Amino acid sequence: MGGPNPDSVSSSSFLNDKSAKVFVAGHRGLVGSAIVRKLQSLGFANLVLRSHAELDLTRQSDVEAFFAAEKPRYVILAAAKVGGIHANNTYPADFISINLQIQNNVIHSSFLHGVQKLLFLGSSCIYPKHAPQPIPESALLTGPLEPTNEWYAIAKIAGIKMCQAHRIQHSWDAISGMPTNLYGPNDNFHPENSHVLPALIRRFHEAKVSGAAEVVVWGSGSPLREFLHVDDLADGVVFLMDKYSGVEHLNVGSGKEVTIKELAELVKEVVGFQGKLVWDTSKPDGTPRKLMDSSKLLSLGWEPKISLKDGLVDTYKWYVQNHNV
Ligand SMILES: NC(=O)C1=CN([C@@H]2O[C@H](COP(=O)(O)OP(=O)(O)OC[C@H]3O[C@@H](n4cnc5c(N)ncnc54)[C@H](OP(=O)(O)O)[C@@H]3O)[C@@H](O)[C@H]2O)C=CC1
Ligand SMILES: C[C@H]1O[C@H](OP(=O)(O)OP(=O)(O)OC[C@H]2O[C@@H](n3cnc4c(=O)[nH]c(N)nc43)[C@H](O)[C@@H]2O)[C@@H](O)[C@@H](O)C1=O
């Protein structure tokens, strides 16, 4: 590999630069809103924020004009087309094309307009379906992907490679973080297109309110998933912006996994639903297990703080208060 050592790209302290312009793309979403809360709590006073309606990140010329006018010093890319297993499986063209467009436009414009540091967010679905567990960063591109989300995964892998290519060719400080399955305030609670945790909060709550006897949960209940509260992820994102400058993407996980059956029982308990669970095995299970090995990030000094039970209680409270239910 020619050019400068991509791990030697210098990174000045993000946390000592709180008056700098920081563009958080996707600030109204689950992840972006948590990052904004975190940055504001730390005293960052110059955040640049645009809703989807104000700036469609799939439009290359609009994105370039935005960067030319605003010239942010830092960019955190949390805008994406996101959804659970059903949405990924049903809209493959949207998941690959919208994500490639957003990330290509934002990464390329950031580079062209002198952004000092950019953080790209991928997802644990970039790894092969049957990756070794816990999954190390080195498992990337070592085997076939899970078919229900391969389109999204290919876009995310391309985003990692975009960052790496710019580091190698231009010594530009672009890094990537791979979060595990996330949840928390401002999640998407759509009945079909959301991820499992918000979907179950809504379904159990609606069943409790209507007095239904049973709740349907998708798949066999046997897949294992690792969940991280989005406030822990936001803390990890700021940590990476401040402390990490390397070519390799880094995993960001809680290190704790549960089966979907255990998760459903926990949501049932937190919501206070008294009926029974019924499994719809016509729905896909997806990846059997995806526990990430986050030891590289942990060794740098970051650690998650919110337990799944506490995070669920907090998220259910937020759902009831914010969804007029
Ligand atoms: N949720 C999870 O479990 C996980 C998420 N991640 C990653 O975190 C990142 C954020 O995900 P999350 O917060 O959950 O997703 P959300 O859907 O909650 O938020 C995505 C945000 O991106 C915005 N957006 C989407 N398309 C466009 C567009 N064309 N132009 C401008 N803005 C746009 C959305 O605005 P609008 O809603 O108005 O379209 C929304 O504010 C993604 O990269 C995702 O891959 C990684 C692992 C797990
Ligand atoms: C973050 C991650 O998220 C997705 O991958 P996933 O982990 O498979 O996500 P999921 O939350 O949708 O499902 C987890 C498990 O839960 C089961 N399940 C039960 N009942 C419901 C249910 O009601 N809704 C959903 N969505 N799933 C349910 C479901 O059958 C599956 O076994 C991809 O977007 C991927 O690209 C990605 O990055």
Side-chain angles (χ1 to χ4, degrees):
M1 201 185 284
N5 176 358
D7 279 328
S8 70
V9 176
S10 70
S11 168
S12 59
S13 171
F14 178 63
L15 286 175
N16 286 335
D17 207 4
K18 290 180 184 165
S19 60
K21 262 191 189 177
V22 185
F23 174 41
V24 181
H27 73 286
R28 286 153 64 102
L30 169 69
V31 171
S33 62
I35 292 169
V36 167
R37 285 195 301 278
K38 181 72 189 175
L39 292 175
Q40 287 173 338
S41 76
L42 290 167
F44 281 83
N46 204 354
L47 302 184
V48 183
L49 308 171
R50 292 289 184 282
S51 68
H52 189 164
E54 290 164 338
L55 175 65
D56 183 344
L57 295 169
T58 65
R59 294 179 175 269
Q60 185 178 5
S61 56
D62 291 357
V63 175
E64 283 182 6
F66 163 78
F67 274 87
E70 289 292 343
K71 295 215 171 291
R73 189 175 302 164
Y74 300 99
V75 171
I76 300 175
L77 179 43
K81 169 82 181 163
V82 177
I85 193 166
H86 173 76
N88 270 268
N89 213 10
T90 311
Y91 311 108
D94 291 353
F95 275 83
I96 191 164
S97 64
I98 293 173
N99 283 314
L100 283 171
Q101 289 173 62
I102 291 175
Q103 67 204 38
N104 285 348
N105 290 340
V106 173
I107 295 171
H108 189 61
S109 280
S110 295
F111 170 67
L112 284 184
H113 293 283
V115 166
Q116 189 172 309
K117 182 166 193 162
L118 174 141
L119 184 144
F120 170 72
L121 284 171
S123 160
S124 56
C125 73
I126 59 163
Y127 293 113
K129 176 169 184 160
H130 298 294
Q133 307 284 326
I135 313 172
E137 285 84 356
S138 58
L140 183 64
L141 294 173
T142 57
L145 298 163
E146 154 60 28
T148 55
N149 61 33
E150 66 175 304
W151 321 98
Y152 176 75
I154 290 286
K156 291 295 183 182
I157 293 168
I160 297 172
K161 293 294 168 190
M162 276 280 281
C163 292
Q164 292 179 343
H166 279 78
R167 287 189 85 85
I168 292 163
Q169 189 177 337
H170 303 294
S171 299
W172 182 51
D173 198 2
I175 60 170
S176 301
M178 296 304 115
T180 190
N181 290 42
L182 305 169
Y183 68 99
N186 292 317
D187 209 339
N188 166 14
F189 291 85
H190 189 277
E192 283 89 36
N193 292 335
S194 59
H195 291 103
V196 60
L197 194 150
L200 293 185
I201 286 184
R202 176 174 177 163
R203 210 170 296 142
F204 279 114
H205 178 79
E206 289 179 351
K208 180 178 85 170
V209 170
S210 70
E214 55 185 44
V215 158
V216 175
V217 188
W218 300 354
S220 65
S222 66
L224 284 151
R225 291 291 182 274
E226 176 190 22
F227 292 95
L228 181 72
H229 192 280
V230 75
D231 286 345
D232 275 337
L233 187 262
D235 190 54
V237 162
V238 170
F239 184 91
L240 285 169
M241 285 296 287
D242 191 55
K243 297 264 188 308
Y244 184 67
S245 181
V247 72
E248 190 174 47
H249 61 283
L250 283 192
N251 291 341
V252 190
S254 64
K256 304 250 166 38
E257 59 181 347
V258 290
T259 63
I260 296 302
K261 182 168 189 303
E262 287 164 342
L263 176 74
E265 296 288 355
L266 196 57
V267 177
K268 177 182 166 185
E269 178 196 324
V270 167
V271 170
F273 172 68
Q274 304 290 337
K276 65 171 190 162
L277 306 186
V278 176
W279 295 92
D280 177 358
T281 51
S282 71
K283 295 284 198 301
D285 270 345
T287 310
R289 189 179 179 200
K290 49 175 176 176
L291 175 65
M292 295 206 301
D293 177 351
S294 301
S295 56
K296 286 191 175 162
L297 181 55
L298 294 172
S299 72
L300 296 176
W302 173 81
E303 60 175 11
K305 298 187 175 63
I306 304 170
S307 72
L308 179 57
K309 177 78 185 282
D310 289 351
L312 255 176
V313 169
D314 168 71
T315 305
Y316 179 49
K317 209 179 285 172
W318 185 92
Y319 173 73
V320 171
Q321 283 166 359
N322 290 275
H323 281 256
N324 294 322
V325 288

